[in-house]
Amino acid sequence: MHELSIAMAVIDQVRDAVPDDRVESLTLRIGELVAVVPEALEFSFGLAAEGTLLAGARLVIETVDGEAHCDGCGRDTPTGMPPVLWCGDCERPLTLLAGRELEILRVVVADEGPDGAAVGDTARDTTRDEETSHVPHR
């Protein structure tokens, strides 16, 4: 089950980005071609987050449909699943445009007052200008 390794990699990246903050929610963008089962990822995330500052965090998954482009006829088309990467109109190979994403989009952390009580939520963008927070997939 590769969803558990994905969940663990995501948790490691979030802990590196916000090491001292309790995470309220986490949003991931996942392409349909990555072959991740959302329910399995949610279950794995819950297990992997136990005992960390991500315990109890809400996991939001945004799915990206597979899409490809044909250089021959200029047509953009959905790839479907399993993906079709050959143009039905001009019979040329397609270039994949979308569907292999596996990204951390947003992390919402709890603001805590001096007594440690939560006083509100703060969203943090975990991406940097020079790099995007991608989780490698297998």
Side-chain angles (χ1 to χ4, degrees), residues 24-77:
E24 291 288 322
S25 70
L26 173 65
T27 304
L28 302 179
R29 177 185 293 152
I30 301 176
E32 75 174 330
L33 303 178
V34 177
V36 169
V37 178
E39 295 82 9
L41 182 57
E42 290 171 2
F43 178 78
S44 297
F45 177 80
L47 289 177
E50 286 182 19
T52 73
L53 291 172
L54 285 91
R58 185 170 61 97
L59 179 62
V60 178
I61 299 173
E62 293 182 8
T63 304
V64 179
D65 293 334
E67 186 177 356
H69 176 77
C70 178
D71 290 331
C73 64
R75 179 174 81 117
D76 288 347
T77 184

Side-chain angles (χ1 to χ4, degrees), residues 6 10 13-14 26-31 34 41 59-62 64 100-107 126-127 131-137:
I6 291 169
V10 166
Q13 286 191 8
V14 171
L26 173 65
T27 304
L28 302 179
R29 177 185 293 152
I30 301 176
V34 177
L41 182 57
L59 179 62
V60 178
I61 299 173
E62 293 182 8
V64 179
R100 293 189 47 90
E101 296 81 357
L102 187 46
E103 305 168 320
I104 299 170
L105 285 185
R106 183 176 186 167
V107 175
T126 60
T127 60
E131 66 181 86
T132 305
S133 297
H134 291 275
V135 177
H137 59 276

Side-chain angles (χ1 to χ4, degrees), residues 13-27:
Q13 286 191 8
V14 171
R15 287 190 335 199
D16 289 346
V18 290
D20 300 322
D21 295 317
R22 188 173 58 82
V23 175
E24 291 288 322
S25 70
L26 173 65
T27 304

Side-chain angles (χ1 to χ4, degrees), residues 33 67-68 79 83-87 92-96:
L33 303 178
E67 186 177 356
T79 61
V84 174
L85 297 174
W86 195 259
C87 183
R92 293 187 58 176
L94 300 174
T95 302
L96 190 62

